[in-house]
Amino acid sequence: MPRNNGFEAFDKEGDLEQFVLQAPTVKSTVDGQAVKAIMDDTPNAEGVVVMENSEPVGIVMRTAFFQKMSTLYGHSLYMKRPVNILMDSNFMEVDITHHVAQIGIQAMNREQSKLYDYIIVRKNGTYCGIISIRLFLVELAKRNEAQINVLQNQQQKLLTAHEQEILLRKDLEYRSNSIRNLLNHADQGFLWFGKDLIIKKEYSYTCMNIFHKPIGALSYLDLMIPYFGHDKVAVFQMACESYFQNDSSVTDNVYLMLLPSDCIIDGKNIHIDYRRIESDGQKAVMVILNDITEKIGLEKAMEEDRRKQHLMLKAVSCQAQIKQMIDEFRDIFSGGYQAFFKGKMDFHDALDALFRSVHTFKGDFAQYGFISASNRLHKFEDALLKVIDQGESTSIADVDRIMADADPESMLKPDLHMIFEVLGSDYFDKSEQITFPKSKFAEIETCISSAAEPLDRSAVLHLLRSLRHKNIKVFLEQYRDYLQYLSNRVMKHLPIYLIEGDDVEIDEEHYGDFLKSLVHVFRNIMDHGIETDEERLMRGKEERGLVECRISRLNSQWFTLCISDDGQGIDFHKIKDKALANGLCTVDELKTMTKDEISAFIFADHFSTKEQVDTLSGRGVGMSAFREACRSLGGEVSVTTEEGKGTSFLIQLPYQH
């Protein structure tokens, strides 16, 4: 029969029944609250078994349960939801007739995250209990140590039983080696320490491969200081001290989660997991070291392949746009930037306009898959921003110097090399083609043939130029891939992207700058508008956000484009604080402003509520560049927002036929 109070002395090597325990069970219909109640009432239980019709359908381990509960919104997400979203249905099952050594090897070869999960045991096909792999290993080690002491006493007292003593010793050595082999062949480093942080002598051979020296009797903290750094050392000391002073097993895992989990040792990326164990009635810490260098390298290679595929797709589908972008980029760095300073514009306004142009190029590069160029241009932005921050002392000579020091070809080289490697070095030199629907050609043919009088030159030119027109929805569709890129960068779900409304055909050459500037709107939406998955769940929203583009033809002269999201809306408190800090208004002026007027501050130069600048946003020039592109066409943009509901950018533009 299964035993509840530990293991009895094992009678023979293949007897698995002596290791079977009874774990708490719950029905599959209960919720997380019921599981937590069992965990609190039975603090020694490592987990519970979820049953359905007297059959085990899943397990919920204590460590995994409280890790989920300790996340930012874990309590509200799981406590009142069915246990089936908490349980692990992919568990290990064995028959009670299986051999102990065989079970041990299978258990230790499981993936690291399930190494200490319950093993479900069946007898004649019926569930009869569980095996705790942690207790399994600990009990074997204790029994081995006890029997070694017995043999040592027998050696002194039973000289006549010399041959039997040798046989028993070999048997014990076999058992000890079996346990150590389980650890040594797991491709993981296992070690443990108590309150004094001294590493015990029982550690796996993989630890020797990682540290290149024996580590028994060393201080774990002293061993890891060279790899943790000062910040992580302070965190380790605080969390470890709290762990050993803590009397609640419920919160132990919280402190263990705070311990440093990643470091680099001799060029290898090591991931570290910590587990609560007990030794002689005192709690200790088991450390599991995993070399994930190969995994990280593989992930980087896969990401590079995905990036290359994306770049190739964009190069093929957007050849003309990319060629124009590259030509304009090269032009501005080869002296074209001087045009910003030759007009009547104030010098510092011209400098801001140059910065906006560079910032837009960074967004364009990212949209078309030129990620390397985008990242390198971000570094150039840092240098240009330092020149701007000099204030009144900045001169055109400073601008000339920094533009001369820039190396645009080196920025483009990695991405262009990928394209040329596949499509040929003359890819962008090939003649461009204008494609249009057959119906468009038929429409022009009908217009010419049905004219009462021969068409004059201007009418013919108008018809020919109309061949270059494309539905604005075609250009908006190109941002679908960019939203995918942005969602990965900010670690949010890819939102649903809708393009609806009237069909408005536009000339890409005329509206090109405006279309490119939309990159700033989509970045703003993903970075500031759409919430994280947990925030959306807390607000009762779908995990996936919504981004909608709606086109409306007002009349023959004007059309509108509304880009909206269902995110958190604009934070007016942050906007007000930033506006005051930037000197855009006074406290008294702010009191009389409408919400629309306050929202309009997001279009001001160098205005951003983001604390930290990164390659995605934070410069405070993207939305300014977007509004400037609208105004250069004779249009205007306004923004409306509702807290918790979302934000809409309404763009009104003149329609050029």
Side-chain angles (χ1 to χ4, degrees):
M1 294 294 293
R3 305 177 178 89
N4 296 312
N5 56 351
F7 300 117
E8 300 295 330
F10 44 91
D11 302 315
K12 57 182 180 178
E13 187 169 337
D15 186 10
L16 188 63
E17 186 171 356
Q18 60 191 307
F19 297 101
V20 178
L21 303 172
Q22 290 300 318
T25 61
V26 296
K27 293 183 178 180
S28 62
T29 55
V30 305
D31 58 12
Q33 185 70 42
V35 175
K36 183 177 185 301
I38 292 176
M39 297 290 191
D40 292 341
D41 292 339
T42 56
N44 291 328
E46 297 177 20
V48 300
V49 180
V50 183
M51 306 291 289
E52 184 173 311
N53 298 325
S54 301
E55 282 291 310
V57 295
I59 59 175
V60 181
M61 300 306 295
R62 177 180 293 275
T63 298
F65 178 80
F66 283 106
Q67 282 178 342
K68 290 182 178 180
M69 291 297 106
S70 63
T71 59
L72 184 57
Y73 299 106
H75 190 276
S76 59
L77 289 176
Y78 298 110
M79 291 301 281
K80 294 185 178 181
R81 295 197 176 186
V83 71
N84 58 12
I85 69 172
L86 284 166
M87 72 181 188
D88 182 2
S89 58
N90 186 20
F91 49 81
M92 180 176 172
E93 288 185 282
V94 300
D95 191 84
I96 202 163
T97 60
H98 286 181
H99 198 281
V100 171
Q102 179 185 2
I103 300 305
I105 292 173
Q106 290 178 352
M108 293 306 292
N109 280 333
R110 292 185 293 179
E111 61 185 85
Q112 186 274 327
S113 61
K114 295 185 177 183
L115 188 61
Y116 293 97
D117 285 3
Y118 282 158
I119 300 174
I120 300 296
V121 184
R122 291 182 179 274
K123 186 174 183 179
N124 297 326
T126 303
Y127 169 74
C128 66
I130 60 93
I131 292 177
S132 164
I133 191 64
R134 180 179 66 82
L135 294 178
F136 173 81
L137 293 175
V138 171
E139 188 61 19
L140 283 183
K142 288 181 179 178
R143 297 307 179 195
N144 287 342
E145 184 177 356
Q147 291 194 21
I148 288 174
N149 292 332
V150 170
L151 286 177
Q152 289 176 343
N153 292 331
Q154 287 180 340
Q155 187 178 24
Q156 297 177 4
K157 297 179 181 180
L158 304 175
L159 297 177
T160 58
H162 180 65
E163 291 183 1
Q164 182 181 5
E165 185 271 335
I166 293 176
L167 293 174
L168 288 174
R169 182 183 296 277
K170 288 182 177 180
D171 182 57
L172 279 174
E173 289 176 353
Y174 169 76
R175 292 170 183 260
S176 296
N177 289 334
S178 296
I179 296 174
R180 182 165 292 278
N181 284 337
L182 287 176
L183 298 177
N184 288 341
H185 289 83
D187 289 330
Q188 295 172 309
F190 291 91
L191 63 92
W192 65 287
F193 57 81
K195 189 175 182 179
D196 59 2
L197 306 186
I198 299 301
I199 299 172
K200 307 303 180 182
K201 63 181 180 179
E202 299 86 2
Y203 58 88
S204 67
Y205 182 76
T206 303
C207 292
M208 290 285 292
N209 292 335
I210 293 174
F211 296 103
H212 305 295
K213 64 180 179 181
I215 60 173
L218 297 180
S219 163
Y220 178 76
L221 182 57
D222 291 343
L223 178 68
M224 299 303 292
I225 280 179
Y227 315 116
F228 279 168
H230 295 297
D231 292 340
K232 289 184 178 181
V233 167
V235 172
F236 179 90
Q237 290 175 319
M238 179 275 294
C240 209
E241 181 179 352
S242 300
Y243 169 79
F244 283 108
Q245 291 178 352
N246 178 51
D247 294 327
S248 171
S249 59
V250 176
T251 54
D252 277 347
N253 286 321
V254 176
Y255 291 119
L256 292 179
M257 288 173 62
L258 296 175
L259 297 177
S261 59
D262 292 283
C263 66
I264 296 178
I265 301 177
D266 290 340
K268 297 179 180 178
N269 296 94
I270 304 298
H271 178 73
I272 311 171
D273 283 307
Y274 302 89
R275 296 286 184 270
R276 183 187 189 277
I277 61 173
E278 290 191 7
S279 175
D280 297 328
Q282 300 294 320
K283 65 180 176 182
V285 177
M286 174 173 279
V287 181
I288 306 169
L289 306 164
N290 291 279
D291 183 353
I292 58 173
T293 306
E294 185 175 342
K295 176 185 176 184
I296 290 178
L298 182 60
E299 289 174 348
K300 287 182 177 179
M302 292 175 64
E303 178 60 30
E304 185 67 12
D305 284 343
R306 284 193 293 268
R307 188 175 83 81
K308 188 173 182 178
Q309 291 173 8
H310 176 65
L311 180 60
M312 291 304 107
L313 180 63
K314 287 295 184 181
V316 171
S317 61
C318 304
Q319 178 190 15
Q321 295 96 316
I322 293 177
K323 182 178 185 302
Q324 181 182 355
M325 174 187 71
I326 293 173
D327 290 343
E328 292 175 356
F329 178 72
R330 285 170 169 161
D331 176 70
I332 201 171
F333 277 92
S334 61
Y337 71 91
Q338 295 172 355
F340 287 97
F341 303 95
K342 290 182 178 179
K344 296 181 180 180
M345 189 184 300
D346 175 77
F347 174 77
H348 291 284
D349 290 340
L351 192 55
D352 287 338
L354 173 60
F355 192 86
R356 287 195 297 269
S357 178
V358 171
H359 193 66
T360 299
F361 272 120
K362 185 176 75 172
D364 293 341
F365 282 138
Q367 181 193 356
Y368 289 117
F370 282 62
I371 304 303
S372 177
S374 180
N375 292 336
R376 290 166 185 247
L377 198 54
H378 180 74
K379 294 180 180 179
F380 174 78
E381 277 186 334
D382 290 336
L384 184 57
L385 193 59
K386 289 180 180 179
V387 173
I388 295 175
D389 289 343
Q390 292 175 12
E392 295 300 325
S393 64
T394 307
S395 66
I396 188 64
D398 296 318
V399 179
D400 291 338
R401 174 183 51 77
I402 194 170
M403 296 300 286
D405 290 343
D407 188 355
E409 294 307 317
S410 68
M411 297 183 197
L412 295 169
K413 185 176 180 179
D415 299 305
L416 287 180
H417 177 71
M418 286 189 192
I419 295 175
F420 295 159
E421 194 175 35
V422 176
L423 301 176
S425 58
D426 61 342
Y427 178 68
F428 291 114
D429 297 329
K430 297 174 182 177
S431 60
E432 300 174 17
Q433 296 179 345
I434 298 176
T435 58
F436 51 86
K438 187 176 180 180
S439 59
K440 183 70 176 177
F441 181 81
E443 179 185 337
I444 294 175
E445 186 178 30
T446 301
C447 182
I448 294 174
S449 61
S450 62
E453 298 179 359
L455 299 176
D456 59 22
R457 179 180 179 183
S458 61
V460 173
L461 285 174
H462 176 74
L463 290 173
L464 289 175
R465 286 169 180 162
S466 68
L467 293 175
R468 294 193 313 219
H469 291 193
K470 292 181 182 178
N471 194 323
I472 191 173
K473 293 178 181 177
V474 173
F475 300 104
L476 293 173
E477 181 63 33
Q478 293 175 1
Y479 279 99
R480 189 179 300 276
D481 288 342
Y482 188 56
L483 281 175
Q484 175 73 70
Y485 164 75
L486 292 173
S487 65
N488 292 335
R489 284 290 308 275
V490 298
M491 292 183 291
K492 298 176 183 178
H493 263 99
L494 173 66
I496 298 170
Y497 184 48
L498 300 179
I499 304 172
E500 299 180 338
D502 298 332
D503 292 321
V504 176
E505 294 200 348
I506 62 173
D507 183 350
E508 182 182 0
E509 289 190 9
H510 180 71
Y511 292 92
D513 289 343
F514 162 73
L515 294 171
K516 288 188 289 186
S517 73
L518 292 178
V519 70
H520 304 300
V521 178
F522 290 108
R523 283 202 305 217
N524 185 277
I525 287 174
M526 290 304 300
D527 207 17
H528 299 285
I530 300 294
E531 308 97 327
T532 63
D533 301 344
E534 290 181 334
E535 288 171 339
R536 292 186 67 84
L537 287 174
M538 288 294 294
R539 292 173 178 171
K541 298 181 179 182
E542 296 291 333
E543 281 187 323
R544 291 187 67 185
L546 173 65
V547 178
E548 183 178 9
C549 299
R550 179 168 293 277
I551 306 102
S552 299
R553 187 195 297 273
L554 300 181
N555 50 49
S556 62
Q557 302 297 322
W558 293 88
F559 72 94
T560 63
L561 168 61
C562 182
I563 304 178
S564 59
D565 66 69
D566 70 338
Q568 59 192 341
I570 291 177
D571 189 330
F572 284 103
H573 294 294
K574 287 185 178 180
I575 296 292
K576 290 177 181 178
D577 291 343
K578 193 67 175 181
L580 292 173
N582 286 11
L584 298 176
C585 64
T586 64
V587 175
D588 291 336
E589 290 172 338
L590 202 56
K591 292 178 181 178
T592 63
M593 287 184 175
T594 65
K595 285 189 174 181
D596 288 348
E597 289 173 330
I598 296 172
S599 299
F601 281 132
I602 66 174
F603 298 115
D605 278 328
H606 307 297
F607 189 96
S608 176
T609 58
K610 195 168 183 178
E611 298 273 335
Q612 187 71 32
V613 175
D614 57 29
T615 56
L616 197 62
S617 62
R619 300 288 193 192
V621 295
M623 297 306 292
S624 173
F626 162 62
R627 183 175 66 171
E628 190 62 30
C630 295
R631 288 180 171 178
S632 67
L633 292 172
E636 193 52 81
V637 58
S638 60
V639 57
T640 57
T641 186
E642 186 175 353
E643 186 177 356
K645 297 290 184 67
T647 302
S648 296
F649 296 92
L650 181 62
I651 307 146
Q652 184 169 328
L653 295 172
Y655 181 49
Q656 185 192 58
H657 299 275

